[in-house]
Amino acid sequence: MNQQIEPVTGRDLFRQHFEEVEDRFSSNGQSWFMNTRKAAFARFTELGIPTRKDEAWKHTSLNPFNEVEFRPSDVSDVDSKALLEGIVFHNWKAHRVVFQDGQYSEGNSAINNLPKGLTIVSLKEAFSTHREVIEEHLASYAGEDENEAFVALNTALHEDGLLVMVEKGVVVEDPIHLIYLTTSHAHPSSTHPRTLVIAEEGSQLTLIERYAGEEGSVYFTNAVSEIVLGENAHFDHYRLQDESPQSFHIGTVQIEQGRNSRYRTHAISIGSRIGRNGIAAHLDGEGIECVMNGLFLTQDDQHIDNHTRVIHAQPHCYSHEVFKGILDDHSSGAFTGRIIVKEGAQKTDAIQSSKNLLLSDDATISPDPQLEIFADDVKCTHGATIGQLDTDAIFYLRARGIDEQSARGLLTFAFANEIIEQIKIEPLRDYLEAIIARRYRKGAL
Amino acid sequence: MTSDTLMLEELAQSEYKYGFSTDIEADTVPPGLNEEVVRLISAKKEEPEWMLEWRLKAYRHWLTMEEPQWQNVHYPPIDYQAASYYSAPKQAGEGPKSLDEVDPKLLETYEKLGIPLKEREILAGVVAVDAVFDSVSVGTTFKETLAEKGIIFCSFSEAVKDHPDLVKKYMGSVVPYTDNFFATLNSAVFSDGSFCYIPKGVKCPMELSTYFRINEASTGQFERTLLVADEGASVSYLEGCTAPMRDTNQLHAAVVEIVALDDAQVKYSTVQNWYPGDENGKGGIYNFVTKRGKCAGKNSKISWTQVETGSAITWKYPSCILMGDNSVGEFYSVAMTNNMQQADTGTKMIHLGKNTRSTIISKGISAGKSQNTYRGLVKIGKKATGSRNYSQCDSMLIGDKCGAHTFPYLEINNKTSQVEHEASTSKIGEDQIFYCNQRGIETEDAVSMIVNGFCKEVFRELPMEFAVEAQKLLDVSLEGSVVYIKRLSLRENRIKGKNDYGNY
């Protein structure tokens, strides 16, 4: 008899993963963390993989994801030099940290000349060397939002990741360039990268967090970043998701902000078949500034779902959020942004907007900007627009001898570039500009 | 808390004026819900077989459904077996032949409410009213005047008997009996309501109005309104509601269906003033209503205007399905919550036809410890090319214990449509009040003015012909001098010390 073996997927699959890695986790230096992992996995089992019946996942179907039998990522010995060539920027000073298939890749990283007060250490190592920090911070923040199931899964299964610590008052001049790279495997693979950033009082830091994979490979990245900003700390964050078009990416960023701290992020999603971003900021102190800029570009049958949540827990904070989407072909996108102003968080100034451009008749977008306000002396606005390019602008360009296709290309480019041009890191800005120019300025100028 | 926020909160207090109940002997079905009760209601109303079948189908479907949980309002579980599903003012023998025969006590109730039916006829034909008392329609005015034009305006039970073809054709065509938990419950046990049909090309010469009142304790009210505007017809319709003050919560699960055929125009205005419960949130009406209009024909238009001030919980989304090409949907809403009231209201605009347009203007005002939520969906189908939507949701908070929430959902499936959504939150500024005070305007008048200005966009959509009616119902002048917040705020609890304005 030739009996077809049903592939193991979804919750059962990850149970297998957990059982496989359990021994490994409990034997090395991180055995003390095992209880947290077990509790997280129990939570994941309880929640299960979200379906469209869950309000927070109503725009995203994980059916294609549930059909794939992922394997825990093996430590691959693939030489990724060629792959990295297209990702790293040359002639640019940065502390580069590369993770290949979920494991720290010393050969590809360059973190030799760390300034005083900056600690960069792989999480696996940190379990032994910085146990107190991990005990205090890891898995203490993320997961209160709609990505909870996947955050729990990451906590249970993460093999490696990065711990970044900046001491009080230290200004780190060169940015940290963090790359999570996935190479192709015989089986669909899965990784759960974890990042923990602790910026102490008055420190300054720039982090570029990148997710990339080999073209054509099917894999699952379940990334979680926790960021803790002390009083008056400044943190510039760039998160670029440029995974392979066949991959699945679920990313969660949780930011804990202290009094007078400043957080700026650029969340840019270009890759993955199904991509989900959850960014949540907890403004727990007065005088905090939180800026979120987002851009997602989709084509073919991609689906990108962005969830942001800004919690104003204290008075006198400022948050500003702009998310832009450009959707082409059969792709679809969603944006759910929630601003929560808690009781007593007076004088809150919160702005949120979602602007979207549909380039094809088959593309769809669902923006849900939401406000939850429990204080009366606040200024909160949100807006969403979906539309075409400005016909007057097209006419203006055409009147100057630019053909229609080029005119549209130029305007689409300009729409995306409004986000890109705010990026302070020059090589990254050039890199992204080149991508959007290639995509939208086809044949124009 | 500063003295002015205190004052603002005091301003937002008031008492419910329509909280009397009328001692009328009523014919009430014992509490409980089962097939027998559905059959009994149908039998009491002497309904034809097909109507009973429809009810039973709905009831059986209801048994398979679960109560929704996604809403942003909270209430203890409702025991559907504890409520009575039918209550009618008891009449000796036959029903009333004319208004003169209606129980004078009942008429008195309406007198108190400010819709003296008899006065209507004298009042030079301003409005035709169909009044629904608990579950039964008690009298329809101006029937003859309307009949001359071919307009049918009667209670739902009459329509079932006299115009079965129309009812059969349109009932459930907009809100099918399987639609949602409360609509299905309504389909099974609905008691009465209004039916209105405007024939081809007829412009209804007067405003039509339905007046709802829950009188009996522990009864639910489930009325059903069906409004059909045939090709080229136009009508404006107003609905008002009140209920007595009681400690227990009562369920009001109504269904309103509107059908607009080619070039037809329907304007539906609601002034909802059910008993909101006391300041600790005890008692009050659960207003869980399904209202939906279908622009079935091309160039048709449906416009919803609602002023929601009552109910312990308001949970409804008057919607428009824009099927016909070039059809238009509008939604204007003012939702005011105070004390422990909760509201989760908004609209759905489903664009299916080409070049369809919709406008949403929503104003939410929260005071006391209330929670006010706007939730709305704008969906633009793939074939609805060239469609346009504009939404604006503004919230105002009075006091720092209340909440204002906005959850718009937008789903856009083609590239030629444009959708815009804007929302803002504000409060009554000290400087605004100071500015008014400086000019000799007292604080309460200033609050009225500011809130009125805030709601003006919606108030001006209410039909002016209803000024008499609306004033009596709501004690609100729509021309812009005093707004409903004044009614809510200033009648009983005049602020203690007007000059207690220490800051200035």
Side-chain angles (χ1 to χ4, degrees), chain A residues 55 58 338 358 361-362 364-374 376 380-386 388, chain B residues 371 382 399 402-416 418-425 427:
Chain A
E55 177 74 9
K58 59 184 282 201
R338 187 171 279 208
L358 298 179
D361 267 337
D362 298 313
T364 63
I365 175 76
S366 316
D368 299 343
Q370 308 180 336
L371 295 177
E372 268 189 69
I373 297 165
F374 296 94
D376 64 334
C380 291
T381 60
H382 69 185
T385 56
I386 295 122
Q388 309 149 263
Chain B
Q371 301 295 329
K382 204 165 152 54
C402 48
H405 318 292
T406 322
F407 303 113
Y409 296 79
L410 313 173
E411 275 176 46
I412 317 304
N413 296 311
N414 74 58
K415 66 167 182 179
T416 54
Q418 282 196 39
V419 175
E420 286 171 75
H421 173 90
E422 278 176 40
S424 73
T425 303
K427 69 163 194 167

Side-chain angles (χ1 to χ4, degrees), chain A residues 15-29:
Chain A
R15 171 159 296 284
Q16 279 187 5
H17 288 199
F18 191 65
E19 280 159 8
E20 277 175 44
V21 294
E22 215 173 344
D23 294 341
R24 202 142 36 95
F25 287 146
S26 38
S27 60
N28 62 17

Side-chain angles (χ1 to χ4, degrees), chain A residues 343-344 346 373-376, chain B residues 1 9 339 366-371 397-404:
Chain A
E343 216 172 285
Q346 302 293 17
I373 297 165
F374 296 94
D376 64 334
Chain B
M1 198 185 292
E9 274 173 24
N339 296 325
S366 343
K369 291 179 185 157
S370 65
Q371 301 295 329
L397 294 111
I398 301 175
D400 55 4
K401 298 276 186 297
C402 48

